[in-house]
Amino acid sequence: MTPKISPRIVFMGTPDFAVASLNALIENGYNIVAVVTAPDKPAGRGMQLKASAVKEYALSQQLPLLQPDKLKNPDFIESLKALQIDLQIVVAFRMLPEVVWNMPPMGTVNVHASLLPQYRGAAPINWAIINGETETGVTTFRLKHEIDTGNILLQEKVAIEEDDNIGTVYEKLMQAGADLLLKTIDGLVNNSIPEMPQPESNKELKHAPKIFKEDCQIYWKKKDVESIHNLIRGLSPFPAAFTFLADKQLKIFESKFEKETINAEAGTFDSDGKTYLRFAAPDGWLYALDVQYEGKKRMKIEDFLRGFRLN
């Protein structure tokens, strides 16, 4: 797959989602002249400095590494210029200033986990599932000023199955993105990709803003039971949807639902104390199948009920 003329590439990314793309480039013989990732950050109970997944992979491959605090730092800019790069690849990284994304002659290409222009933003996988989509995908596009708005290069559709959650779709898109990136770079080198501008504005576009804690709380009275089920799928395994049971937080990682007319107030629960715990929604029951009670470990509902008194 590697073209006869391999461009000098700088790769920018931080989490494991980006590692798959970087690994694909390395395995296919592309010329990665440097990797840019986030500075190490304190993490865990001891708040010790932890390297990003991309940094750990780059070190394992003995790739030159840059970790700027600020992307407009003059020393960082000069370091990039000195590399004489042809192309920059961005996967799950920060917003770049124009002085950076406009530097290489072949431009800067981003891999985004949605079918743009839908689901622009920081959490496209989460929101696609939360909104009950049955299809998503990956897009490669050229960076420009406004976030996720540059010309589309290539796209690949990926199905969202009924039993998928953020974890499983993340894995699908991570590999699909890596495969699409290889096709994109080959197409750019061979000048065989017709670029497609994204629409300037469209009221029907769905957005994917960052997920905050308030987005994770289940509001039983405001949503139908299937929407609540999709919220749980779209936040599992992390950060996880939650509700309250006996005044303590209960995270729900897996659920099923039954649509029916019920004689129970939305948000109240029902259980046999052994095999099921279900919550009333406006149009049915939401069954919690895999949970984590505040201060406890994650467990299947039968194990949870075995050690919890509901009354």
Side-chain angles (χ1 to χ4, degrees):
M1 180 174 287
T2 309
K4 294 180 180 179
I5 301 175
S6 182
R8 293 174 60 82
I9 297 173
V10 161
F11 183 93
M12 301 183 177
T14 300
D16 57 352
F17 190 91
V19 171
S21 290
L22 179 55
N23 178 64
L25 295 178
I26 294 298
E27 288 191 345
N28 283 272
Y30 284 91
N31 185 17
I32 308 300
V33 297
V35 172
V36 181
T37 192
D40 297 0
K41 293 183 178 180
R45 292 183 178 180
M47 296 301 286
Q48 295 183 338
L49 289 178
K50 180 175 175 56
S52 71
V54 164
K55 178 179 179 178
E56 291 180 349
Y57 178 81
L59 291 175
S60 75
Q61 301 296 313
Q62 299 181 316
L63 297 171
L65 191 66
L66 298 171
Q67 292 181 273
D69 285 314
K70 296 181 179 179
L71 296 176
K72 291 185 179 180
N73 183 297
D75 291 337
F76 171 63
I77 301 298
E78 288 305 312
S79 295
L80 282 183
K81 289 180 178 178
L83 292 170
Q84 297 182 315
I85 55 180
D86 301 304
L87 175 68
Q88 285 177 154
I89 303 298
V90 178
V91 184
F93 194 57
R94 297 180 269 172
M95 284 188 65
L96 301 183
E98 183 174 0
V99 67
V100 174
W101 61 256
N102 202 27
M103 185 183 299
M106 292 178 66
T108 298
V109 172
N110 187 278
V111 178
H112 187 73
S114 83
L115 296 173
L116 291 174
Q118 297 294 348
Y119 294 105
R120 294 170 178 162
I125 311 175
N126 300 89
W127 286 109
I129 301 171
I130 290 170
N131 289 338
E133 305 286 3
T134 58
E135 183 180 73
T136 184
V138 285
T139 302
T140 52
F141 70 99
R142 289 193 182 277
L143 281 190
K144 69 173 194 176
H145 284 291
E146 297 80 9
I147 187 168
D148 299 337
T149 60
N151 288 357
I152 291 172
L153 298 170
L154 294 175
Q155 293 187 314
E156 185 72 32
K157 294 180 179 180
V158 172
I160 301 177
E161 307 294 345
E162 288 184 5
D163 58 347
D164 272 331
N165 61 20
I166 179 65
T168 56
V169 177
Y170 184 96
E171 292 290 332
K172 292 180 187 180
L173 294 180
M174 183 166 64
Q175 188 55 55
D179 294 341
L180 192 66
L181 177 59
L182 297 178
K183 296 176 184 177
T184 300
I185 296 176
D186 281 357
L188 290 175
V189 169
N190 299 321
N191 200 27
S192 60
I193 297 179
E195 298 184 22
M196 182 177 71
Q198 295 189 50
E200 291 295 326
S201 62
N202 189 327
K203 293 181 180 180
E204 297 180 0
L205 291 184
K206 298 173 184 177
H207 298 283
K210 185 177 179 179
I211 299 286
F212 293 97
K213 185 174 182 179
E214 54 265 32
D215 299 311
C216 301
Q217 183 169 352
I218 300 170
Y219 294 97
W220 299 99
K221 297 180 181 180
K222 295 182 179 180
K223 292 182 178 292
D224 62 83
V225 70
E226 186 171 2
S227 294
I228 295 169
H229 173 69
N230 288 336
L231 176 70
I232 291 167
R233 294 169 59 219
L235 297 173
S236 178
F238 183 82
F242 69 90
T243 187
F244 290 94
L245 184 66
D247 297 323
K248 288 189 176 182
Q249 187 183 93
L250 179 76
K251 292 181 177 180
I252 304 177
F253 298 94
E254 185 181 352
S255 61
K256 67 178 182 179
F257 65 93
E258 291 180 356
K259 286 188 176 182
E260 59 181 289
T261 302
I262 60 175
N263 186 25
E265 182 182 358
T268 57
F269 68 86
D270 175 52
S271 175
D272 64 355
K274 295 179 180 180
T275 61
Y276 73 84
L277 171 64
R278 62 184 185 178
F279 293 86
D283 61 340
W285 291 106
L286 189 288
Y287 288 78
L289 304 178
D290 189 340
V291 300
Q292 183 177 12
Y293 199 50
E294 189 173 325
K296 304 293 183 180
K297 65 180 182 179
R298 178 176 170 179
M299 61 187 76
K300 294 297 183 182
I301 197 63
E302 296 85 358
D303 297 325
F304 169 73
L305 291 174
R306 194 175 295 121
F308 181 77
R309 287 185 174 272
L310 293 170
N311 298 315

